[in-house]
Amino acid sequence: MITRDFLMRQLHQFVQALARALFARTQHNYDDARTILNEALATLPGGGTPDSIAELADGLRDGSLPADEQVLTLADVLYEDARLADTLGHYDEADARYAQALLVYEAIQARGAAILPLHFLDRLDAVRDRVASA
């Protein structure tokens, strides 16, 4: 069970991991970037597995977890890991991560978060298209 307090503490770690991974990506260290993101995801209860991501999305939808711009960081970590997997030619892994990111993005949208970044709807549409084409 993912609790609100636990997730809020994790968000700081996800922001740091995302920044480090994006830097590694700019240096063309794609494997290092994926390792950074996957280590961060592994700290989630359930280790960032599809089931644990689905549980988190359910918590966002039912209101037991906050659906705000901070939680968007988790979806962005999943999205960036999917992009890196694509870059490395790991297409099945990319498909799975895009699907997980989509679950979280759609859960945030379903709750009607008051403040979302401008890129949110564009990214949501892009992820939907990618998942639909898989």
Side-chain angles (χ1 to χ4, degrees):
M1 173 84 168
I2 299 172
T3 66
R4 166 176 264 175
D5 291 339
F6 179 82
L7 184 59
M8 291 297 109
R9 286 190 301 269
Q10 290 299 104
L11 290 176
H12 181 69
Q13 181 179 347
F14 291 145
V15 168
Q16 289 179 336
L18 189 57
R20 289 180 30 232
L22 291 173
F23 178 76
R25 183 184 180 100
T26 64
Q27 302 299 310
H28 303 285
N29 296 328
Y30 304 121
D31 288 320
D32 291 345
R34 282 206 77 205
T35 298
I36 291 165
L37 295 177
N38 284 301
E39 286 175 354
L41 290 168
T43 64
L44 284 171
T49 63
D51 287 343
S52 68
I53 299 299
E55 179 185 335
L56 185 140
D58 288 345
L60 294 170
R61 280 190 189 93
D62 71 19
S64 62
L65 294 173
D68 58 21
E69 69 279 0
Q70 294 175 339
V71 177
L72 187 60
T73 303
L74 172 61
D76 290 341
V77 166
L78 293 164
Y79 173 78
E80 287 303 327
D81 188 48
R83 290 183 59 214
L84 287 162
D86 254 347
T87 299
L88 292 168
H90 303 157
Y91 303 116
D92 290 340
E93 293 175 30
D95 291 344
R97 281 296 196 220
Y98 279 122
Q100 291 171 345
L102 182 60
L103 275 175
V104 178
Y105 283 133
E106 287 182 336
I108 293 167
Q109 183 186 38
R111 284 285 303 284
I115 301 171
L116 290 170
L118 295 175
H119 77 274
F120 178 79
L121 292 177
D122 290 336
R123 182 161 294 170
L124 179 60
D125 289 340
V127 173
R128 280 182 177 148
D129 291 345
R130 177 60 167 77
V131 170
S133 70

PDB file of all heavy atoms in Angstrom, residues 116-122:
ATOM      1  N   LEU A 116      -1.375  22.292 -13.538  1.00  0.00           N
ATOM      2  CA  LEU A 116      -0.541  21.345 -14.284  1.00  0.00           C
ATOM      3  C   LEU A 116       0.341  22.141 -15.237  1.00  0.00           C
ATOM      4  O   LEU A 116      -0.064  23.192 -15.737  1.00  0.00           O
ATOM      5  CB  LEU A 116      -1.405  20.360 -15.072  1.00  0.00           C
ATOM      6  CG  LEU A 116      -2.166  19.341 -14.233  1.00  0.00           C
ATOM      7  CD1 LEU A 116      -3.162  18.581 -15.101  1.00  0.00           C
ATOM      8  CD2 LEU A 116      -1.211  18.386 -13.550  1.00  0.00           C
ATOM      9  N   PRO A 117       1.542  21.639 -15.503  1.00  0.00           N
ATOM     10  CA  PRO A 117       2.419  22.355 -16.432  1.00  0.00           C
ATOM     11  C   PRO A 117       1.827  22.400 -17.835  1.00  0.00           C
ATOM     12  O   PRO A 117       0.998  21.569 -18.211  1.00  0.00           O
ATOM     13  CB  PRO A 117       3.712  21.555 -16.410  1.00  0.00           C
ATOM     14  CG  PRO A 117       3.509  20.415 -15.511  1.00  0.00           C
ATOM     15  CD  PRO A 117       2.137  20.460 -14.948  1.00  0.00           C
ATOM     16  N   LEU A 118       2.294  23.361 -18.610  1.00  0.00           N
ATOM     17  CA  LEU A 118       1.769  23.542 -19.958  1.00  0.00           C
ATOM     18  C   LEU A 118       1.980  22.320 -20.845  1.00  0.00           C
ATOM     19  O   LEU A 118       1.170  22.052 -21.722  1.00  0.00           O
ATOM     20  CB  LEU A 118       2.420  24.771 -20.606  1.00  0.00           C
ATOM     21  CG  LEU A 118       2.095  26.103 -19.947  1.00  0.00           C
ATOM     22  CD1 LEU A 118       2.890  27.226 -20.597  1.00  0.00           C
ATOM     23  CD2 LEU A 118       0.607  26.394 -20.019  1.00  0.00           C
ATOM     24  N   HIS A 119       3.052  21.565 -20.599  1.00  0.00           N
ATOM     25  CA  HIS A 119       3.341  20.412 -21.457  1.00  0.00           C
ATOM     26  C   HIS A 119       2.449  19.208 -21.168  1.00  0.00           C
ATOM     27  O   HIS A 119       2.462  18.251 -21.917  1.00  0.00           O
ATOM     28  CB  HIS A 119       4.813  19.997 -21.312  1.00  0.00           C
ATOM     29  CG  HIS A 119       5.097  19.240 -20.048  1.00  0.00           C
ATOM     30  ND1 HIS A 119       5.391  19.861 -18.865  1.00  0.00           N
ATOM     31  CD2 HIS A 119       5.124  17.915 -19.802  1.00  0.00           C
ATOM     32  CE1 HIS A 119       5.588  18.938 -17.932  1.00  0.00           C
ATOM     33  NE2 HIS A 119       5.431  17.748 -18.470  1.00  0.00           N
ATOM     34  N   PHE A 120       1.664  19.260 -20.116  1.00  0.00           N
ATOM     35  CA  PHE A 120       0.935  18.070 -19.675  1.00  0.00           C
ATOM     36  C   PHE A 120       0.051  17.473 -20.769  1.00  0.00           C
ATOM     37  O   PHE A 120       0.145  16.281 -21.066  1.00  0.00           O
ATOM     38  CB  PHE A 120       0.102  18.377 -18.429  1.00  0.00           C
ATOM     39  CG  PHE A 120      -0.704  17.199 -17.963  1.00  0.00           C
ATOM     40  CD1 PHE A 120      -0.115  16.189 -17.232  1.00  0.00           C
ATOM     41  CD2 PHE A 120      -2.049  17.083 -18.281  1.00  0.00           C
ATOM     42  CE1 PHE A 120      -0.839  15.085 -16.814  1.00  0.00           C
ATOM     43  CE2 PHE A 120      -2.792  15.989 -17.870  1.00  0.00           C
ATOM     44  CZ  PHE A 120      -2.183  14.992 -17.132  1.00  0.00           C
ATOM     45  N   LEU A 121      -0.819  18.257 -21.366  1.00  0.00           N
ATOM     46  CA  LEU A 121      -1.752  17.710 -22.358  1.00  0.00           C
ATOM     47  C   LEU A 121      -1.031  17.226 -23.613  1.00  0.00           C
ATOM     48  O   LEU A 121      -1.397  16.188 -24.176  1.00  0.00           O
ATOM     49  CB  LEU A 121      -2.839  18.720 -22.712  1.00  0.00           C
ATOM     50  CG  LEU A 121      -3.814  19.031 -21.575  1.00  0.00           C
ATOM     51  CD1 LEU A 121      -4.804  20.104 -22.010  1.00  0.00           C
ATOM     52  CD2 LEU A 121      -4.548  17.784 -21.115  1.00  0.00           C
ATOM     53  N   ASP A 122       0.010  17.950 -24.027  1.00  0.00           N
ATOM     54  CA  ASP A 122       0.789  17.493 -25.182  1.00  0.00           C
ATOM     55  C   ASP A 122       1.463  16.161 -24.894  1.00  0.00           C
ATOM     56  O   ASP A 122       1.454  15.251 -25.719  1.00  0.00           O
ATOM     57  CB  ASP A 122       1.853  18.526 -25.566  1.00  0.00           C
ATOM     58  CG  ASP A 122       1.250  19.785 -26.157  1.00  0.00           C
ATOM     59  OD1 ASP A 122       0.112  19.717 -26.689  1.00  0.00           O
ATOM     60  OD2 ASP A 122       1.907  20.831 -26.091  1.00  0.00           O
TER      61      ASP A 122
END
